[in-house]
Structure formats: structure tokens, C-alpha cells
Short mmCIF file of all heavy atoms in Angstrom, two decimals:
data_model
loop_
_atom_site.label_atom_id
_atom_site.label_comp_id
_atom_site.label_asym_id
_atom_site.label_seq_id
_atom_site.Cartn_x
_atom_site.Cartn_y
_atom_site.Cartn_z
N THR A 1 0.78 -1.15 -0.04
CA THR A 1 0.01 -0.05 0.06
C THR A 1 0.84 1.21 -0.07
O THR A 1 1.97 1.17 0.48
CB THR A 1 -0.97 0.06 1.25
OG1 THR A 1 -1.87 1.16 1.06
CG2 THR A 1 -0.21 0.12 2.52
N ILE A 2 0.40 2.37 -0.44
CA ILE A 2 1.04 3.62 -0.52
C ILE A 2 0.04 4.76 -0.37
O ILE A 2 -1.11 4.72 -0.96
CB ILE A 2 1.82 3.73 -1.86
CG1 ILE A 2 2.79 5.02 -1.73
CG2 ILE A 2 0.85 3.78 -3.09
CD1 ILE A 2 3.77 5.02 -2.94
N THR A 3 0.36 5.85 0.25
CA THR A 3 -0.42 7.03 0.41
C THR A 3 -0.11 7.95 -0.82
O THR A 3 1.25 8.05 -1.22
CB THR A 3 -0.31 7.66 1.72
OG1 THR A 3 1.03 8.11 2.01
CG2 THR A 3 -0.80 6.78 2.88
N TRP A 4 -1.04 8.73 -1.20
CA TRP A 4 -0.84 9.63 -2.39
C TRP A 4 0.09 10.80 -1.98
O TRP A 4 1.02 11.19 -2.67
CB TRP A 4 -2.06 10.20 -2.95
CG TRP A 4 -2.75 9.18 -3.89
CD1 TRP A 4 -3.85 8.46 -3.66
CD2 TRP A 4 -2.33 8.91 -5.17
NE1 TRP A 4 -4.22 7.65 -4.75
CE2 TRP A 4 -3.29 7.86 -5.69
CE3 TRP A 4 -1.34 9.31 -5.93
CZ2 TRP A 4 -3.13 7.37 -7.04
CZ3 TRP A 4 -1.16 8.71 -7.24
CH2 TRP A 4 -2.04 7.82 -7.80
N ASN A 5 -0.27 11.47 -0.84
CA ASN A 5 0.46 12.67 -0.46
C ASN A 5 1.92 12.37 0.13
O ASN A 5 2.86 12.96 -0.44
CB ASN A 5 -0.34 13.45 0.56
CG ASN A 5 -1.48 14.18 -0.06
OD1 ASN A 5 -1.62 14.37 -1.24
ND2 ASN A 5 -2.53 14.41 0.71
N GLY A 6 2.06 11.59 1.14
CA GLY A 6 3.31 11.34 1.69
C GLY A 6 4.08 10.30 1.16
O GLY A 6 5.40 10.20 1.36
N GLY A 7 3.45 9.34 0.38
CA GLY A 7 4.25 8.26 -0.26
C GLY A 7 4.63 7.25 0.75
O GLY A 7 5.60 6.40 0.51
N ASP A 8 3.96 7.11 1.91
CA ASP A 8 4.22 6.14 2.88
C ASP A 8 3.90 4.76 2.37
O ASP A 8 2.75 4.58 1.86
CB ASP A 8 3.50 6.41 4.16
CG ASP A 8 3.74 7.87 4.77
OD1 ASP A 8 4.86 8.15 4.91
OD2 ASP A 8 2.79 8.55 4.92
N THR A 9 4.76 3.75 2.59
CA THR A 9 4.58 2.40 2.03
C THR A 9 4.56 1.35 3.09
O THR A 9 5.18 1.59 4.21
CB THR A 9 5.57 2.07 0.95
OG1 THR A 9 6.94 2.05 1.57
CG2 THR A 9 5.54 3.09 -0.28
N TYR A 10 3.96 0.31 2.88
CA TYR A 10 4.03 -0.86 3.69
C TYR A 10 3.84 -2.08 2.82
O TYR A 10 3.01 -2.08 1.99
CB TYR A 10 2.96 -0.82 4.79
CG TYR A 10 3.06 -1.99 5.85
CD1 TYR A 10 3.87 -1.75 6.94
CD2 TYR A 10 2.29 -3.15 5.60
CE1 TYR A 10 3.97 -2.75 7.83
CE2 TYR A 10 2.40 -4.18 6.46
CZ TYR A 10 3.20 -3.98 7.59
OH TYR A 10 3.45 -5.03 8.57
N TYR A 11 4.54 -3.14 3.17
CA TYR A 11 4.48 -4.41 2.33
C TYR A 11 4.24 -5.66 3.12
O TYR A 11 4.52 -5.72 4.43
CB TYR A 11 5.99 -4.64 1.70
CG TYR A 11 6.31 -3.58 0.82
CD1 TYR A 11 7.12 -2.33 1.26
CD2 TYR A 11 6.12 -3.57 -0.61
CE1 TYR A 11 7.51 -1.42 0.34
CE2 TYR A 11 6.42 -2.56 -1.43
CZ TYR A 11 7.16 -1.50 -0.89
OH TYR A 11 7.61 -0.51 -1.79
N ALA A 12 3.57 -6.58 2.52
CA ALA A 12 3.46 -7.88 3.20
C ALA A 12 4.87 -8.51 3.32
O ALA A 12 5.67 -8.29 2.42
CB ALA A 12 2.63 -8.77 2.37
N SER A 13 5.08 -9.27 4.34
CA SER A 13 6.37 -9.93 4.61
C SER A 13 6.71 -10.83 3.42
O SER A 13 7.97 -11.03 3.10
CB SER A 13 6.34 -10.65 5.85
OG SER A 13 5.34 -11.68 5.84
N SER A 14 5.78 -11.45 2.70
CA SER A 14 6.11 -12.37 1.64
C SER A 14 6.74 -11.64 0.44
O SER A 14 7.29 -12.32 -0.42
CB SER A 14 4.86 -13.05 1.28
OG SER A 14 3.90 -12.25 0.85
N VAL A 15 6.60 -10.38 0.27
CA VAL A 15 7.14 -9.65 -0.92
C VAL A 15 8.23 -8.68 -0.49
O VAL A 15 8.82 -7.96 -1.46
CB VAL A 15 5.96 -9.03 -1.70
CG1 VAL A 15 4.95 -10.00 -2.13
CG2 VAL A 15 5.37 -7.87 -0.99
N LYS A 16 8.35 -8.22 0.80
CA LYS A 16 9.24 -7.25 1.11
C LYS A 16 10.71 -7.53 0.66
O LYS A 16 11.15 -8.70 0.81
CB LYS A 16 9.25 -7.15 2.61
CG LYS A 16 10.10 -5.92 3.20
CD LYS A 16 9.84 -5.68 4.74
CE LYS A 16 8.39 -5.38 5.05
NZ LYS A 16 8.25 -5.18 6.54
N GLY A 17 11.30 -6.55 0.07
CA GLY A 17 12.63 -6.73 -0.60
C GLY A 17 12.69 -7.14 -2.03
O GLY A 17 13.69 -7.01 -2.57
N ARG A 18 11.44 -7.62 -2.41
CA ARG A 18 11.40 -8.10 -3.80
C ARG A 18 10.49 -7.14 -4.66
O ARG A 18 10.77 -6.88 -5.85
CB ARG A 18 10.90 -9.45 -4.01
CG ARG A 18 11.83 -10.51 -3.35
CD ARG A 18 11.23 -11.94 -3.59
NE ARG A 18 9.96 -12.19 -3.05
CZ ARG A 18 8.93 -12.54 -3.80
NH1 ARG A 18 8.99 -12.61 -5.16
NH2 ARG A 18 7.75 -12.76 -3.35
N PHE A 19 9.46 -6.64 -4.02
CA PHE A 19 8.44 -5.77 -4.68
C PHE A 19 8.57 -4.34 -4.23
O PHE A 19 9.00 -4.09 -3.12
CB PHE A 19 6.97 -6.30 -4.41
CG PHE A 19 6.61 -7.60 -5.02
CD1 PHE A 19 7.57 -8.40 -5.65
CD2 PHE A 19 5.26 -7.88 -5.04
CE1 PHE A 19 7.23 -9.62 -6.21
CE2 PHE A 19 4.83 -9.10 -5.51
CZ PHE A 19 5.78 -9.95 -6.06
N THR A 20 8.16 -3.35 -5.21
CA THR A 20 8.23 -1.89 -4.84
C THR A 20 7.06 -1.27 -5.34
O THR A 20 6.75 -1.39 -6.56
CB THR A 20 9.49 -1.28 -5.34
OG1 THR A 20 10.70 -1.84 -4.86
CG2 THR A 20 9.57 0.22 -5.00
N ILE A 21 6.32 -0.63 -4.45
CA ILE A 21 5.06 0.04 -4.90
C ILE A 21 5.50 1.61 -4.98
O ILE A 21 6.28 2.06 -4.15
CB ILE A 21 3.94 -0.11 -3.83
CG1 ILE A 21 2.64 0.67 -4.36
CG2 ILE A 21 4.36 0.46 -2.50
CD1 ILE A 21 1.47 0.36 -3.55
N SER A 22 4.98 2.26 -6.01
CA SER A 22 5.37 3.53 -6.25
C SER A 22 4.11 4.36 -6.87
O SER A 22 3.26 3.65 -7.26
CB SER A 22 6.57 3.83 -7.11
OG SER A 22 6.49 3.29 -8.34
N ARG A 23 4.12 5.63 -6.94
CA ARG A 23 3.05 6.35 -7.60
C ARG A 23 3.65 7.58 -8.34
O ARG A 23 4.65 8.17 -8.10
CB ARG A 23 2.04 6.78 -6.55
CG ARG A 23 2.19 8.10 -5.87
CD ARG A 23 3.34 8.07 -4.83
NE ARG A 23 3.10 9.17 -3.91
CZ ARG A 23 4.15 9.86 -3.50
NH1 ARG A 23 5.41 9.56 -3.81
NH2 ARG A 23 3.86 10.92 -2.59
N ASP A 24 2.78 7.83 -9.37
CA ASP A 24 3.10 9.15 -10.23
C ASP A 24 1.76 9.96 -9.96
O ASP A 24 0.68 9.75 -10.70
CB ASP A 24 3.26 8.86 -11.58
CG ASP A 24 3.70 10.02 -12.36
OD1 ASP A 24 3.27 11.14 -12.15
OD2 ASP A 24 4.37 9.87 -13.43
N ASN A 25 1.91 11.07 -9.18
CA ASN A 25 0.67 11.78 -8.79
C ASN A 25 0.19 12.53 -10.05
O ASN A 25 -1.10 12.61 -10.26
CB ASN A 25 1.02 12.77 -7.74
CG ASN A 25 1.33 12.09 -6.45
OD1 ASN A 25 0.37 11.99 -5.59
ND2 ASN A 25 2.59 11.69 -6.19
N ALA A 26 0.94 13.02 -10.96
CA ALA A 26 0.59 13.76 -12.10
C ALA A 26 -0.12 12.86 -12.99
O ALA A 26 -1.12 13.31 -13.78
CB ALA A 26 1.75 14.40 -12.85
N LYS A 27 0.11 11.52 -13.08
CA LYS A 27 -0.58 10.64 -14.00
C LYS A 27 -1.72 9.88 -13.24
O LYS A 27 -2.41 9.01 -13.90
CB LYS A 27 0.42 9.69 -14.59
CG LYS A 27 1.34 10.29 -15.50
CD LYS A 27 2.36 9.25 -16.12
CE LYS A 27 3.33 9.92 -17.15
NZ LYS A 27 4.19 8.93 -17.62
N ASN A 28 -1.88 10.08 -11.99
CA ASN A 28 -2.75 9.32 -11.21
C ASN A 28 -2.60 7.82 -11.35
O ASN A 28 -3.63 7.04 -11.56
CB ASN A 28 -4.28 9.70 -11.49
CG ASN A 28 -4.59 11.16 -11.03
OD1 ASN A 28 -4.28 11.38 -9.80
ND2 ASN A 28 -5.34 11.80 -11.92
N THR A 29 -1.39 7.37 -11.31
CA THR A 29 -1.10 5.95 -11.64
C THR A 29 -0.12 5.41 -10.46
O THR A 29 0.78 6.07 -10.06
CB THR A 29 -0.36 5.88 -12.97
OG1 THR A 29 -1.14 6.32 -14.03
CG2 THR A 29 0.00 4.41 -13.32
N VAL A 30 -0.47 4.26 -10.10
CA VAL A 30 0.38 3.53 -9.14
C VAL A 30 0.95 2.23 -9.74
O VAL A 30 0.29 1.67 -10.60
CB VAL A 30 -0.58 3.02 -7.97
CG1 VAL A 30 0.20 2.17 -6.94
CG2 VAL A 30 -1.11 4.27 -7.15
N TYR A 31 2.15 2.00 -9.31
CA TYR A 31 2.99 0.81 -9.93
C TYR A 31 3.31 -0.20 -8.93
O TYR A 31 3.38 0.13 -7.78
CB TYR A 31 4.20 1.42 -10.64
CG TYR A 31 4.01 2.46 -11.59
CD1 TYR A 31 4.08 3.87 -11.21
CD2 TYR A 31 3.80 2.33 -12.87
CE1 TYR A 31 3.93 4.85 -12.14
CE2 TYR A 31 3.48 3.23 -13.82
CZ TYR A 31 3.58 4.58 -13.47
OH TYR A 31 3.34 5.56 -14.35
N LEU A 32 3.55 -1.37 -9.46
CA LEU A 32 4.03 -2.40 -8.57
C LEU A 32 5.17 -3.04 -9.37
O LEU A 32 4.93 -3.87 -10.31
CB LEU A 32 3.03 -3.49 -8.21
CG LEU A 32 3.43 -4.51 -7.15
CD1 LEU A 32 3.74 -3.94 -5.81
CD2 LEU A 32 2.38 -5.62 -7.14
N GLN A 33 6.50 -2.80 -8.90
CA GLN A 33 7.66 -3.37 -9.55
C GLN A 33 7.95 -4.63 -8.85
O GLN A 33 8.13 -4.65 -7.62
CB GLN A 33 8.80 -2.48 -9.55
CG GLN A 33 10.13 -3.05 -10.12
CD GLN A 33 10.06 -3.24 -11.49
OE1 GLN A 33 9.76 -2.32 -12.35
NE2 GLN A 33 10.39 -4.52 -11.96
N MET A 34 7.91 -5.76 -9.69
CA MET A 34 8.10 -7.11 -9.01
C MET A 34 9.29 -7.66 -9.59
O MET A 34 9.48 -7.96 -10.74
CB MET A 34 6.79 -7.99 -9.28
CG MET A 34 5.57 -7.40 -8.86
SD MET A 34 4.22 -8.56 -9.17
CE MET A 34 4.16 -8.61 -10.96
N ASN A 35 10.31 -7.97 -8.65
CA ASN A 35 11.58 -8.62 -8.96
C ASN A 35 11.75 -9.92 -8.34
O ASN A 35 11.06 -10.26 -7.34
CB ASN A 35 12.79 -7.73 -8.71
CG ASN A 35 12.66 -6.39 -9.23
OD1 ASN A 35 12.38 -6.23 -10.44
ND2 ASN A 35 13.15 -5.25 -8.53
N SER A 36 12.73 -10.72 -8.83
CA SER A 36 12.91 -12.10 -8.25
C SER A 36 11.61 -12.86 -8.02
O SER A 36 11.39 -13.41 -6.99
CB SER A 36 13.71 -11.92 -6.94
OG SER A 36 14.88 -11.19 -7.07
N LEU A 37 10.85 -12.86 -9.09
CA LEU A 37 9.54 -13.62 -9.07
C LEU A 37 9.62 -15.02 -8.81
O LEU A 37 10.60 -15.79 -9.34
CB LEU A 37 8.83 -13.35 -10.27
CG LEU A 37 8.21 -11.86 -10.41
CD1 LEU A 37 7.76 -11.55 -11.88
CD2 LEU A 37 6.98 -11.73 -9.37
N GLU A 38 8.80 -15.57 -8.07
CA GLU A 38 8.71 -17.02 -7.72
C GLU A 38 7.45 -17.60 -8.13
O GLU A 38 6.43 -16.89 -8.28
CB GLU A 38 8.93 -17.19 -6.16
CG GLU A 38 10.13 -16.55 -5.61
CD GLU A 38 10.08 -16.38 -4.08
OE1 GLU A 38 9.06 -16.75 -3.41
OE2 GLU A 38 11.17 -15.94 -3.46
N SER A 39 7.29 -18.93 -8.18
CA SER A 39 6.03 -19.56 -8.59
C SER A 39 4.88 -19.11 -7.65
O SER A 39 3.84 -19.16 -8.08
CB SER A 39 6.27 -21.05 -8.68
OG SER A 39 6.60 -21.50 -7.45
N GLU A 40 5.27 -18.97 -6.40
CA GLU A 40 4.35 -18.66 -5.45
C GLU A 40 3.68 -17.28 -5.58
O GLU A 40 2.60 -16.95 -5.02
CB GLU A 40 4.90 -18.71 -4.03
CG GLU A 40 5.18 -20.15 -3.49
CD GLU A 40 6.55 -20.58 -4.15
OE1 GLU A 40 7.29 -19.78 -4.62
OE2 GLU A 40 6.83 -21.74 -3.96
N ASP A 41 4.25 -16.47 -6.49
CA ASP A 41 3.68 -15.07 -6.83
C ASP A 41 2.61 -15.22 -7.86
O ASP A 41 1.94 -14.23 -8.20
CB ASP A 41 4.76 -14.17 -7.26
CG ASP A 41 5.73 -13.98 -6.22
OD1 ASP A 41 5.38 -13.64 -5.03
OD2 ASP A 41 7.10 -13.99 -6.57
N THR A 42 2.34 -16.35 -8.37
CA THR A 42 1.33 -16.54 -9.46
C THR A 42 0.02 -16.18 -8.87
O THR A 42 -0.43 -16.77 -7.89
CB THR A 42 1.28 -17.94 -10.08
OG1 THR A 42 2.54 -18.23 -10.69
CG2 THR A 42 0.17 -18.13 -10.96
N ALA A 43 -0.75 -15.30 -9.43
CA ALA A 43 -2.05 -14.87 -8.90
C ALA A 43 -2.64 -13.82 -9.88
O ALA A 43 -1.99 -13.28 -10.81
CB ALA A 43 -1.91 -14.18 -7.54
#
């Protein structure tokens, strides 16, 4: 999760260190960068 104004983030323990959430306020768009993907990430 991420807040629009402050950009505060929090991650589930299962993805911490591998996934990054970010946002582009001008585009009203949120991203999820997923690295080191595992079969358990299938969903």
C-alpha cells in the first residue's frame, strides 16, 4: 500500500525486498515493480 501525499509504504512480509510500490501523482497511476519472481507469486 502507498499514500498519495506522503508516499508512505507498507509491504506484506512475503514480498518485502522483492516488490516496490510507487506512484506518479501527475498521472494518477500506481505501480508495482516485481523482481525475483517466484512460482508462489502466481495470482
